[in-house]
Amino acid sequence: MQVGCLLQQLGPSHRTAPHRSLPRAVRCWSEEQLTNQLQVPVLKSRDTEAEEKGGLLCDLVSEQDNHQLNSRSPVHVWGYFFDCMESERSQRMGNACIPLKRIAYFLCLLSALLLTEGKKPAKPKCPAVCTCTKDNALCENARSIPRTVPPDVISLLFTSNSFDVISDDAFIGLPHLEYLFIENNNIKSISRHTFRGLKSLIHLSLANNNLQTLPKDIFKGLDSLTNVDLRGNSFNCDCKLKWLVEWLSHTNATVEDIYCEGPPEYKKRKINSLSPKDFDCIITEFAKSQDLPYQSLSIDTFSYMNDEYVVIAQPFTGKCIFLEWDHVEKTFRNYDNITGTSTVVCKPIVIETQLYVIVAQLFGGSHIYKRDSFANKFIKIQDIEILKIRKPNDIETFKIENNWYFVVADSSKAGFTTIYKWNGNGFYSHQSLHAWYRDTDVEYLEIARTPQTLRTPHLILSSSSQRPVIYQWNKATQLFTNQTDIPNMEDVYAVKHFSVKGDVYICLTRFIGDSKVMKWGGSSFQDIQRMPSRGSMVFQPLQINNYQYAILGSDYSFTQVYNWDAEKAKFVKFQELNVQAPRSFTHVSINKRNFLFASSFKGNTQIYKHVIVDLSA
C-alpha cells in the first residue's frame, strides 16, 4: 500500500511556533519505525485526535504539551502534525517525498535534544544564618544544622551556635566538602552517622565543645580524613570511649592530644596514650529465661548418649523429672520421669555407656534405677538398705582409681552415712562413716597435704551435731580415714568447694550466723571471707567459662550472687535474684549456652541464662 503524507500547518493559535518553513509533504513512518530510529517512544496528540491509516502514525503532540514534558518525554515537533492519507495525490507525488524525509527526521532529533536538555535546577541559596562565598560557608547563631548549604562548598565552619545535638546525615549533599569546623559551640551529643557521605573530608574539628563521649564508628567511611581536632571537650574515659582508644592506635590521621576529665582514676590522663587493656568492659549477668511450675530440692546435670540432660527432684509429687534441650524452641522440655514418694535427691551416674539414677526418698526407702535403652524407660534394679539409710539428705558420686562410688549423707538419729561401690553388676555397701551424727551434706574433693605431694581424695561431712569432719582416702586400705575437723564452725549445714589458680577453697553454709569462705593452707582451712547469711541453706560456688561465682541463698531475703575478684582474692557482690526458699543452684551448659537452675522449696523452679555484655559495644 502506498501512503502519502501532507504536512499541514496548524491553526492561528500555533503560528508563533518555530519551523514555519517546513516543506509541505514528507513520507510517513510507522510508530514502530519512528521509535526504533529515535530510541524514544512516540506520544499521540492530546488536543487533536490521532489518525492512523494502515497502521501508520500521522500525529505528534501539540506545542502546549511540550512545555510539560521532561527529558524522557516522547518526541514531538513544535507547531505541526503529520496528516497521512491514502489518496491519488500521494500517488502523484511519487518520489518527491524522499528528500523531505531527512528534513523531518532531523527536526525530530532536534526536538529530542531540546527535551533531554531540560531545565537545570536552581542552585541552593546560602542559608540566612550563613555567609557564603564560592567555596566557603560560615554559619553563626544557628538553631540547627541548615539543610540548604550550597553543595559545592569545600570549607564549612560552625561557631557560636545554639544547637547542642547533631543528628544523622546532617551534612548529606555536600560531596565536595573537605574542611569541616564545628568549634566553640555547646555540642553535647553527636549521632553515629552524622558525617555519613563526606568521602572527601580531609580535616574535621570538634574542638571546644561539651562532648563527653563519641559514638562508636563515627569516623567510619571518612576515608580521606587526615586531621582530627577533639581538644577542649570533657571526655569521660569509660567503656563507651574504649573504641576511640582503639581507633587512635591504628588510624593514619593526625589527632591532637586530648585528655580525660573522668572518671577520677583517669582524670587529666592523655587519651592518646591509653591502651584498650585499661578498660574492663565485659560484664555478665543472670537473666531470667524460663519458669518451671513446680517446687524442687536438688538439681543435677549429666551427659548421656551425646546429649545433655537435667534431672530435678520434686519432693511434693515424689518424682524425678528429666529435662532435655529443645533445639528448635530453644527451651527445656520434659524427657522422662521416675515416680516415687517424697523424693529429695535424684543423682545420675553414667558408668561406661550405662545410665543409673540413685533416687533418695524420705519414705518408702531409696532405690537405684537403670535406663533401659531398648524399652526406652527407667527400670528399678536395686534397693538401698533401709537399716542404714533412713533419712537421706545428700548424695555425692565420685571415681577413685577407675572405681565408681557414691556416698549418702543420712540425717536421721539412727542412720549411717554410707559409701557404696560399683561391682560390675550393682552397688554394694563399702564403708560406713558416721553413725548417729545427723549428717546434712557430703562433699568430695581432692587436696594435697603438702606442696610436694599429689592431691588425694577427701570427703567433708557437715552435721547439725558437730563441726565439719574431713576424711582422707587411704590407698592401702581403700577406705576413708578420719583426719580432722574444721574448728570454730559449728552448725554448718553444707560445704562446697571450688578452685582458683590451683588453690582449693570451700564455701560453708550456716542457717544462723555468718557463712564463710575458707582456703586450704596445706594442713587446714583458713578464713578468707565472711558473708551475713541469716536463713541460708545453700552457698554454692560454680564456674561458668572463666567466671567464678558463689551464690548464697536465703529463706528470708534475696539470693546474693557474688563474683570472684582476682586482685582482692575474694568475692564481691554482683547481683540479686528473687528465689523463694532456694535449696540448690546448678550450672547447665548446652550448645555453648550457659544456664543457672535455681531450685525452690516454696515457689517455682527458675532458669536463668548467663549473659555476657560488652559495655564498649
Side-chain angles (χ1 to χ4, degrees), residues 424-472:
N425 295 312
F427 292 90
Y428 66 93
S429 178
H430 179 71
Q431 181 183 1
S432 292
L433 297 177
H434 245 184
W436 313 315
Y437 278 107
R438 302 179 63 184
D439 296 327
T440 54
D441 179 83
V442 57
E443 178 76 353
Y444 174 84
L445 70 165
E446 295 181 357
I447 52 179
R449 287 291 173 175
T450 64
Q452 291 76 27
T453 59
L454 297 176
R455 290 187 176 185
T456 57
H458 287 71
L459 291 177
I460 300 179
L461 294 184
S462 301
S463 173
S464 58
S465 59
Q466 65 176 13
R467 295 186 291 267
V469 179
I470 303 174
Y471 288 82
Q472 183 179 1

Side-chain angles (χ1 to χ4, degrees), residues 362-585:
L362 294 180
F363 306 103
S366 298
H367 314 283
I368 299 175
Y369 289 79
K370 171 184 176 181
R371 182 68 179 179
D372 189 322
S373 58
F374 295 102
N376 197 29
K377 64 180 181 179
F378 288 99
I379 300 174
K380 186 169 69 172
I381 63 168
Q382 185 178 344
D383 294 327
I384 296 177
E385 48 196 336
I386 195 171
L387 294 179
K388 290 185 177 180
I389 306 301
R390 296 176 179 271
K391 192 178 179 181
N393 205 68
D394 185 37
I395 298 176
E396 188 81 356
T397 62
F398 52 93
K399 187 178 183 180
I400 300 176
E401 299 175 357
N402 295 320
N403 291 312
W404 278 102
Y405 301 84
F406 73 82
V407 55
V408 181
D410 189 274
S411 59
S412 68
K413 293 182 179 179
F416 295 82
T417 293
T418 305
I419 299 173
Y420 293 85
K421 181 180 180 181
W422 173 253
N423 66 359
N425 295 312
F427 292 90
Y428 66 93
S429 178
H430 179 71
Q431 181 183 1
S432 292
L433 297 177
H434 245 184
W436 313 315
Y437 278 107
R438 302 179 63 184
D439 296 327
T440 54
D441 179 83
V442 57
E443 178 76 353
Y444 174 84
L445 70 165
E446 295 181 357
I447 52 179
R449 287 291 173 175
T450 64
Q452 291 76 27
T453 59
L454 297 176
R455 290 187 176 185
T456 57
H458 287 71
L459 291 177
I460 300 179
L461 294 184
S462 301
S463 173
S464 58
S465 59
Q466 65 176 13
R467 295 186 291 267
V469 179
I470 303 174
Y471 288 82
Q472 183 179 1
W473 179 255
N474 187 313
K475 189 174 182 180
T477 62
Q478 299 285 291
L479 297 173
F480 283 96
T481 57
N482 190 347
Q483 291 293 315
T484 184
D485 60 12
I486 299 177
N488 304 317
M489 283 303 296
E490 287 77 12
D491 299 320
V492 172
Y493 182 79
V495 175
K496 304 298 177 184
H497 83 285
F498 66 99
S499 297
V500 175
K501 295 182 178 179
D503 293 322
V504 178
Y505 299 80
I506 55 174
C507 293
L508 300 94
T509 311
R510 300 176 76 185
F511 192 81
I512 300 174
D514 293 340
S515 293
K516 282 187 179 182
V517 179
M518 306 183 79
K519 180 181 178 181
W520 177 252
S523 59
S524 63
F525 284 100
Q526 303 166 355
D527 283 4
I528 296 294
Q529 189 175 3
R530 291 172 176 261
M531 276 85 165
S533 59
R534 179 174 174 267
S536 296
M537 297 187 70
V538 55
F539 188 16
Q540 179 67 55
L542 52 88
Q543 185 173 2
I544 302 178
N545 298 329
N546 295 322
Y547 301 96
Q548 180 66 54
Y549 301 100
I551 306 178
L552 181 62
S554 173
D555 283 7
Y556 306 124
S557 63
F558 286 103
T559 291
Q560 299 294 330
V561 182
Y562 295 88
N563 191 17
W564 181 259
D565 188 318
E567 293 184 1
K568 298 178 181 179
K570 61 176 57 179
F571 286 106
V572 295
K573 278 190 175 182
F574 170 69
Q575 187 179 352
E576 288 185 344
L577 303 178
N578 186 10
V579 184
Q580 290 183 285
R583 292 297 180 263
S584 67
F585 296 99

